[in-house]
């Protein structure tokens, strides 16, 4: 059975196990995960948080990461501004980024979610409101959600990937991971560094 790890990647951690050649020391997956033979199925930017899947099976890894399979990825996104429904419509229709049109996204305004504190915290500005969105996409372009919100005038302040397909980061603290023994396994064991 393939092993699948559900890791809650903290802010500032690279989605790779090494960082050779960098002039500064940056945190990587090896600071949190000592499981041999697993590799990230997709990426999550250094300045994003939340669910990162790792597995030891190439076919499963491809199924999760390859945009051809259109596996839904849901993000909780704190944006600068107070968007109205009409402001979100371009995201729902698909919009043009540098490399072409995005697929339509599912987008809804939500109340501020009950998340862990981010380190460092988001800078709050009294004169500029912020809001939370739940955005689900079925592709994975580089920094796509951040670029999409910026394109409609809503810069992203905080981005948390909450789920990929049926897998979620719910109940997993930042820096911890759960190990599932196979695709049907939903009750994993949580590990700390």
């Amino acid at each position: 059975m393939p092993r699948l790890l559900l890791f809650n990647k903290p802010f500032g951690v690279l989605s790779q196990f090494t960082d050779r050649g960098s002039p500064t020391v940056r945190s990587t997956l090896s600071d949190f995960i000592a499981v041999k033979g697993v590799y990230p199925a997709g990426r999550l930017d250094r300045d994003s948080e939340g669910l990162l899947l790792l597995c030891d099976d190439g076919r499963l890894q491809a199924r999760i990461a390859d945009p051809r399979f259109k596996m839904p990825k849901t993000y909780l996104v704190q944006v600068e501004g107070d968007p109205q429904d009409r402001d979100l419509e371009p995201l729902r229709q698909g919009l043009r980024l540098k490399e072409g049109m995005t697929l339509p996204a599912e987008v809804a305004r939500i109340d501020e979610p009950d998340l862990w504190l981010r380190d460092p915290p988001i800078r709050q500005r009294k004169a500029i409101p912020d809001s939370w969105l739940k955005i689900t996409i079925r592709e994975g372009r580089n920094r796509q959600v951040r670029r999409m919100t910026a394109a409609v005038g809503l810069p992203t302040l905080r981005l948390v990937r909450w789920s990929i397909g049926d897998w979620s980061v719910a109940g997993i603290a930042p820096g911890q991971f759960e190990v599932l023994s196979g695709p049907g396994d939903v009750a994993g064991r949580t590990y700390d560094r």
Side-chain angles (χ1 to χ4, degrees), residues 88-154:
L88 304 176
E89 198 55 33
L91 302 173
R92 295 181 182 124
Q93 299 298 318
L95 52 87
R96 183 166 301 285
L97 298 178
K98 179 177 60 176
E99 67 278 9
M101 292 295 290
T102 65
L103 294 175
E106 297 170 32
V107 184
R109 276 192 68 151
I110 60 171
D111 292 332
E112 182 175 347
D114 184 21
L115 295 172
W116 52 88
L117 296 177
R118 195 188 91 168
D119 184 25
I122 298 294
R123 185 181 75 179
Q124 299 293 321
R125 299 193 287 183
K126 291 180 182 176
I128 301 175
D130 62 72
S131 307
W132 283 89
L133 304 174
K134 181 178 179 183
I135 301 176
T136 300
I137 61 173
R138 294 179 182 275
E139 53 189 337
R141 301 176 190 195
N142 185 38
R143 299 179 67 84
Q144 180 175 342
V145 172
R146 291 177 186 280
R147 291 170 42 209
M148 288 171 63
T149 61
V152 296
L154 302 167

Side-chain angles (χ1 to χ4, degrees), residues 172-189:
I172 304 172
Q176 293 189 340
F177 62 92
E178 282 186 11
V179 178
L180 305 181
S181 60
D185 188 358
V186 292
R189 182 164 174 205

Side-chain angles (χ1 to χ4, degrees), residues 8-13 32 47-50 76 78 112-124 132 157-160 162 172-176 193:
N8 188 345
K9 187 189 87 61
F11 178 85
V13 176
F32 299 90
D47 51 354
S48 297
E49 312 161 65
L76 305 180
Q78 184 181 16
E112 182 175 347
D114 184 21
L115 295 172
W116 52 88
L117 296 177
R118 195 188 91 168
D119 184 25
I122 298 294
R123 185 181 75 179
Q124 299 293 321
W132 283 89
L157 301 172
R158 185 175 183 191
L159 187 132
V160 177
W162 189 254
I172 304 172
Q176 293 189 340
R193 313 182 202 199

Side-chain angles (χ1 to χ4, degrees), residues 12-64:
V13 176
L14 295 173
S15 294
Q16 56 199 45
F17 281 97
T18 62
D19 187 29
R20 293 189 195 111
S22 174
T24 59
V25 176
R26 299 185 296 181
S27 186
T28 67
L29 297 177
S30 60
D31 296 324
F32 299 90
I33 300 170
V35 177
K36 299 289 184 200
V38 296
Y39 301 95
R43 299 184 67 80
L44 191 57
D45 296 331
R46 182 175 176 222
D47 51 354
S48 297
E49 312 161 65
L51 184 61
L52 181 66
L53 298 176
L54 298 96
C55 64
D56 62 359
D57 179 271
R59 287 184 300 172
L60 178 58
Q61 186 179 19
R63 180 117 182 120
I64 294 167

